[in-house]
């Protein structure tokens, strides 16, 4: 009977949240924090870029943008993330370094905008360590929850420009990853033994991304010539995963493996626009949404999840053409973000706002180093919620080489 009681207590969801393990308590819901990171340039401009043509960056979100890449390019990204989490009584600051993705692009036919690109980037992250006390059936106990892991996206795609002012792009995306949860019951009542439940899930599945970018509005009006518009849609992903439960008591272990499970990640789409003012100023705006209310785990809706909506605005000061001074070769960026995140905890929507900035500087030849800064807030200090104050510093190195060039013989 005691073992049944302990197992029941362990299965209960925590009623009170607090951060730990290098991340946020909110990551215990859904599939964790969604890693929205189109490119290093985008990170400084409010994460915009769906409608922003670019030769110098690989946009992982919108394959049509690759059509402007005219050199073989490799982008490697890393991230420092610090989260200060607080509730009504306590605060905790944690930091971690993270892999933010690597992509490469090969222009096959620059004149036709045919560019092949591939890479890996995080799709979601889980990192929490939660502790609270409770009582069940006359037994007082402390419940510790630890979660880690997440999903990674592998991507292979192609862009094509059938016309000078229209580009198309598509990619196939393979989502995979492992998530782990450890729930430990520590009895506070004498005469009762504790136990730990380990839950592991290994996910895999595929979806597709299609995008387009149009730069031909100058035909309508000369004032619209600097304007570009973009659209992107990513199809539903039906992931399968293996589920393993292991319940450890003091003297024995009970392990169960379930039949193959399913997780549905819903369709997402976004629109973006960019407008170049004079020679050195660029404005951009994006909207991105995903119908997470349609997400399903084994046919059932995800708990504490809603549809997400994201708005981004950015401005960039471009490098001076034919600059002789190193300072004139820098690109500077600022941005704003507002997001209705996909978290809804006990009926309370969790919203986020952020301020971003960034700079790109030349290193050697075509190599560039990009630094992005972000300060964000989400949630509020009201039980059972917490408030996250987030600092992110992104780093990216971009290498470029000119391949497939035929030189005339003398």
């Amino acid at each position: 009977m005691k073992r049944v009681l302990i197992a029941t207590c362990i299965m209960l969801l925590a009623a009170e949240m607090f951060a730990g393990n290098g991340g946020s308590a909110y990551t215990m819901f859904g599939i964790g924090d969604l890693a929205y990171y189109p490119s290093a340039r985008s990170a400084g401009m409010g994460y915009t870029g769906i409608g922003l043509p670019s030769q110098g960056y690989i946009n992982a979100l919108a394959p049509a943008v690759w059509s402007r890449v005219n050199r073989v390019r490799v982008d490697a990204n890393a991230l420092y993330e610090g989260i200060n989490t607080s509730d009504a009584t306590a605060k905790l600051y944690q930091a971690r370094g993270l892999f933010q993705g690597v992509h490469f692009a090969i222009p096959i036919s620059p004149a036709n905008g045919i560019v092949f690109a591939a890479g890996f980037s995080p799709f979601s992250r889980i990192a929490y360590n939660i502790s609270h006390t409770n009582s069940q059936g006359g037994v007082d106990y402390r419940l510790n929850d630890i979660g880690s892991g997440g999903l990674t996206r592998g991507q292979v795609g192609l862009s094509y420009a059938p016309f000078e002012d229209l580009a198309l792009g598509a990619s196939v995306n393979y989502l995979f990853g492992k998530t782990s949860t450890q729930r430990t019951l520590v009895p506070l009542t004498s005469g009762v033994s504790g136990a730990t439940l380990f839950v592991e899930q290994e996910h895999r599945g595929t979806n597709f991304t299609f995008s387009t970018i149009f730069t031909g509005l100058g035909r309508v009006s000369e004032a619209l010539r600097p304007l570009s518009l973009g659209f992107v849609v990513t199809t539903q992903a039906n992931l399968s995963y293996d589920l393993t439960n292991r319940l450890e008591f003091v003297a024995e272990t009970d392990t169960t493996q379930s039949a193959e499970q399913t997780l549905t990640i819903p369709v997402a789409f976004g629109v973006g626009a960019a407008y170049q003012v004079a020679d050195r100023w660029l404005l951009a705006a994006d909207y991105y949404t995903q119908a997470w209310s349609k997400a399903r785990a084994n046919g059932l809706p995800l708990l504490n999840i809603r549809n997400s909506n994201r708005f981004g605005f950015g401005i960039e000061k471009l490098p001076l053409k034919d600059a002789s001074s190193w300072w004139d070769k820098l690109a500077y960026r600022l941005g704003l973000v507002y997001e209705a995140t996909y978290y809804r905890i006990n009926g309370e929507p969790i919203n986020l706002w952020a301020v971003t900035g960034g700079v790109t500087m030349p290193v050697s030849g075509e190599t560039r180093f990009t630094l992005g800064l972000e300060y964000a807030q989400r949630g509020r200090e009201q039980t059972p919620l917490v408030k996250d104050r987030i600092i992110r510093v992104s780093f990216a190195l971009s290498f470029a080489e000119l391949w497939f060039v035929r030189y005339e013989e003398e």
Side-chain angles (χ1 to χ4, degrees):
M1 181 63 185
K2 286 184 178 180
R3 287 186 176 179
V4 173
L5 176 61
I6 291 172
T8 302
C9 292
I10 289 178
M11 295 296 180
L12 293 175
L13 286 175
E16 192 173 325
M17 300 195 303
F18 203 75
N21 203 33
S24 169
Y26 289 121
T27 66
M28 74 179 296
F29 300 104
I31 59 172
D33 276 350
L34 305 178
Y36 191 90
Y37 188 86
S39 70
R41 180 190 197 184
S42 169
M45 297 179 65
Y47 295 94
T48 57
I50 295 174
L52 182 58
S54 177
Q55 294 180 352
Y57 302 89
I58 304 171
N59 189 313
L61 181 67
V65 179
W66 305 341
S67 63
R68 294 292 183 93
V69 176
N70 57 9
R71 284 171 168 76
V72 174
R73 184 167 296 280
V74 178
D75 290 352
N77 304 274
L79 178 71
Y80 167 88
E81 182 180 69
I83 301 179
N84 188 340
T85 298
S86 59
D87 62 11
T89 60
K91 294 183 179 181
L92 178 65
Y93 181 82
Q94 299 161 104
R96 54 182 177 167
L98 298 167
F99 168 72
Q100 195 69 348
V102 59
H103 288 80
F104 70 90
I106 301 175
I108 298 172
S109 176
N112 297 302
I114 301 176
V115 178
F116 170 82
F120 291 91
S121 56
F123 185 80
S124 70
R125 294 188 176 102
I126 296 174
Y128 62 86
N129 189 339
I130 300 168
S131 179
H132 77 285
T133 57
N134 210 331
S135 180
Q136 181 81 8
V139 176
D140 297 326
Y141 62 89
R142 183 173 70 251
L143 198 61
N144 298 328
D145 280 327
I146 300 175
S148 61
L151 298 180
T152 297
R153 181 181 65 174
Q155 181 180 33
V156 176
L158 203 67
S159 68
Y160 171 57
F163 306 103
E164 182 181 0
D165 51 16
L166 176 67
L168 309 173
S171 69
V172 56
N173 315 307
Y174 181 65
L175 304 178
F176 64 97
K178 182 177 180 179
T179 62
S180 301
T181 301
Q182 175 182 327
R183 178 164 293 168
T184 302
L185 183 142
V186 180
L188 304 178
T189 301
S190 60
V192 179
S193 300
T196 301
L197 173 68
F198 298 90
V199 180
E200 293 185 349
Q201 301 177 9
E202 293 192 25
H203 300 80
R204 63 242 171 225
T206 303
N207 63 1
F208 302 89
T209 297
F210 304 95
S211 76
T212 182
I213 189 166
F214 181 67
T215 57
L217 291 173
R219 300 175 183 178
V220 179
S221 169
E222 188 62 27
L224 297 178
R225 188 170 298 279
L227 178 65
S228 58
L229 301 175
F231 175 80
V232 62
V233 60
T234 297
T235 64
Q236 175 178 294
N238 297 312
L239 277 63
S240 59
Y241 65 93
D242 301 319
L243 177 65
T244 302
N245 293 321
R246 188 174 80 254
L247 186 59
E248 293 188 355
F249 295 94
V250 175
E252 64 181 275
T253 299
D254 183 15
T255 301
T256 61
Q257 288 186 321
S258 301
E260 189 173 83
Q261 313 286 300
T262 60
L263 172 66
T264 300
I265 295 179
V267 172
F269 72 88
V271 294
Y275 190 90
Q276 186 165 339
V277 182
D279 290 335
R280 298 196 64 186
W281 292 97
L282 185 66
L283 306 176
D286 277 13
Y287 169 70
Y288 193 81
T289 183
Q290 194 162 10
W292 281 98
S293 61
K294 297 182 179 180
R296 295 292 184 270
N298 293 320
L300 300 176
L302 301 183
L303 297 177
N304 296 298
I305 295 300
R306 60 168 178 164
N307 295 340
S308 65
N309 294 280
R310 185 182 188 94
F311 302 87
F313 306 92
I315 183 170
E316 180 179 39
K317 184 178 182 181
L318 300 167
L320 182 65
K321 293 181 180 179
D322 301 320
S324 57
S325 168
W326 185 82
W327 294 101
D328 289 334
K329 297 179 181 179
L330 304 185
Y332 303 92
R333 306 178 183 98
L334 289 173
L336 296 172
V337 177
Y338 175 80
E339 181 181 6
T341 75
Y342 80 148
Y343 298 124
R344 185 195 295 272
I345 311 303
N346 292 342
E348 179 78 19
I350 306 301
N351 299 320
L352 174 146
W353 66 264
V355 179
T356 69
V359 61
T360 292
M361 59 195 75
V363 177
S364 175
E366 291 290 328
T367 301
R368 299 289 185 268
F369 175 75
T370 299
L371 176 69
L373 303 173
E374 177 186 354
Y375 175 77
Q377 289 189 11
R378 67 178 172 190
R380 56 179 180 167
E381 297 166 338
Q382 176 181 322
T383 304
L385 306 178
V386 295
K387 185 171 186 176
D388 287 338
R389 298 172 178 87
I390 306 168
I391 296 174
R392 294 189 178 103
V393 183
S394 58
F395 310 90
L397 269 177
S398 180
F399 308 90
E401 292 288 344
L402 196 60
W403 285 13
F404 311 122
V405 176
R406 181 177 298 173
Y407 295 94
E408 295 184 3
E409 297 183 3
E410 297 182 359

